[in-house]
Amino acid sequence: MINRATNTFSIRELTAKAHLGYIGASFPEFGGSVSKQAAAFARFNIFNVNEAQSLGKPYFMTLTVQAGKEITEFPNEPLVTIYSQKTIVETPTVGEERKGTVKEFISTEDYQIDIKGIIMGSGTYPAEEVKSLNELYNKNEALDVVGNLFFDLFNIQRIVLTSIKFDDMMGQQELQKYTITAVSDQDFFAELNERNNFLKG
């Protein structure tokens, strides 16, 4: 049974141990613009938003999305990881003295996003909360990310949920572990403007 007086740290500890086996960092929240927040992070020696380690590293955070007028917050500050990769077409070089490949085409794919969390019931299995999360997944549309600094760092304004998984937690009847994967979704006109700007040099 779970003590309902469980504090924030123990919820995070439970989430991290269930998904990762260790405690992840909490992404800092400061008011103001990204540049002001970067200065604040550097001043307090908490986190430098310009460090490459921010990509691919899991952070606890409040994550809220919006579909139409409906706003949904993922339960209990899940662990969120954002990562990406490039598509590169390589052609082997010819000749005994030449080694390596020629990179003919390079493109950056959509950002991949992992959302790992715990849903907590109140004395019983959290059926309604699980149903609500599954209904969010079943929306066949892009979801707007609401006020999230971490996503703003990578210019991710919208995401599409691509998979959902509910894992068993033996001996924990009030808890349900979930894993959701998503991809970033950039507006078509934004992509077109970026392409036109690139062609203009």
Side-chain angles (χ1 to χ4, degrees), residues 11-38:
I11 292 175
R12 289 177 177 174
E13 182 178 16
L14 183 65
T15 302
K17 285 185 176 180
H19 286 283
L20 303 176
Y22 70 93
I23 306 303
S26 176
F27 189 77
E29 295 287 347
F30 289 90
S33 66
V34 171
S35 59
K36 290 182 180 179
Q37 294 184 13

Side-chain angles (χ1 to χ4, degrees), residues 136-175:
L136 178 67
Y137 166 72
N138 285 327
K139 292 182 182 297
N140 294 322
E141 59 184 290
L143 307 174
D144 294 322
V145 179
V146 180
N148 188 291
L149 170 64
F150 190 50
F151 280 71
D152 286 345
L153 294 177
F154 305 103
N155 196 29
I156 301 174
Q157 307 298 326
R158 305 167 70 193
I159 61 174
V160 175
L161 307 186
T162 57
S163 71
I164 189 169
K165 182 179 181 181
F166 294 101
D167 290 318
D168 180 43
M169 297 187 66
M170 296 182 62
Q172 303 288 351
Q173 297 180 358
E174 298 179 40
L175 303 177

Side-chain angles (χ1 to χ4, degrees), residues 12-200:
R12 289 177 177 174
E13 182 178 16
L14 183 65
T15 302
K17 285 185 176 180
H19 286 283
L20 303 176
Y22 70 93
I23 306 303
S26 176
F27 189 77
E29 295 287 347
F30 289 90
S33 66
V34 171
S35 59
K36 290 182 180 179
Q37 294 184 13
F41 296 157
R43 177 184 175 188
F44 291 99
N45 196 28
I46 296 176
F47 179 78
N48 184 349
V49 295
N50 295 317
E51 290 182 1
Q53 66 179 8
S54 62
L55 187 63
K57 185 174 181 179
Y59 290 99
F60 285 107
M61 67 183 67
T62 300
L63 179 58
T64 305
V65 294
Q66 183 171 358
K69 295 183 178 181
E70 183 179 350
I71 298 177
T72 303
E73 182 178 308
F74 287 85
N76 300 319
E77 294 188 355
L79 275 165
V80 177
T81 307
I82 297 176
Y83 55 99
S84 181
Q85 65 182 18
K86 292 183 178 180
T87 298
I88 302 174
V89 177
E90 300 178 339
T91 302
T93 56
V94 179
E96 294 183 0
E97 301 300 323
R98 304 190 64 177
K99 297 181 180 180
T101 60
V102 176
K103 282 67 176 177
E104 296 183 353
F105 179 75
I106 301 176
S107 67
T108 301
E109 298 182 4
D110 294 330
Y111 285 104
Q112 307 294 312
I113 302 149
D114 288 341
I115 305 165
K116 302 176 184 290
I118 296 286
I119 303 173
M120 301 183 65
S122 181
T124 59
Y125 180 77
E128 288 301 316
E129 291 85 350
V130 170
K131 179 182 178 182
S132 177
L133 195 60
N134 195 53
E135 288 176 348
L136 178 67
Y137 166 72
N138 285 327
K139 292 182 182 297
N140 294 322
E141 59 184 290
L143 307 174
D144 294 322
V145 179
V146 180
N148 188 291
L149 170 64
F150 190 50
F151 280 71
D152 286 345
L153 294 177
F154 305 103
N155 196 29
I156 301 174
Q157 307 298 326
R158 305 167 70 193
I159 61 174
V160 175
L161 307 186
T162 57
S163 71
I164 189 169
K165 182 179 181 181
F166 294 101
D167 290 318
D168 180 43
M169 297 187 66
M170 296 182 62
Q172 303 288 351
Q173 297 180 358
E174 298 179 40
L175 303 177
Q176 176 60 66
K177 180 169 68 171
Y178 69 89
T179 301
I180 292 177
T181 60
V183 294
S184 61
D185 181 51
Q186 189 173 16
D187 184 84
F188 171 76
F189 294 104
E191 291 183 348
L192 188 61
N193 288 335
E194 287 186 2
R195 179 178 179 275
N196 291 337
N197 290 335
F198 175 77
L199 293 176
K200 289 178 181 178

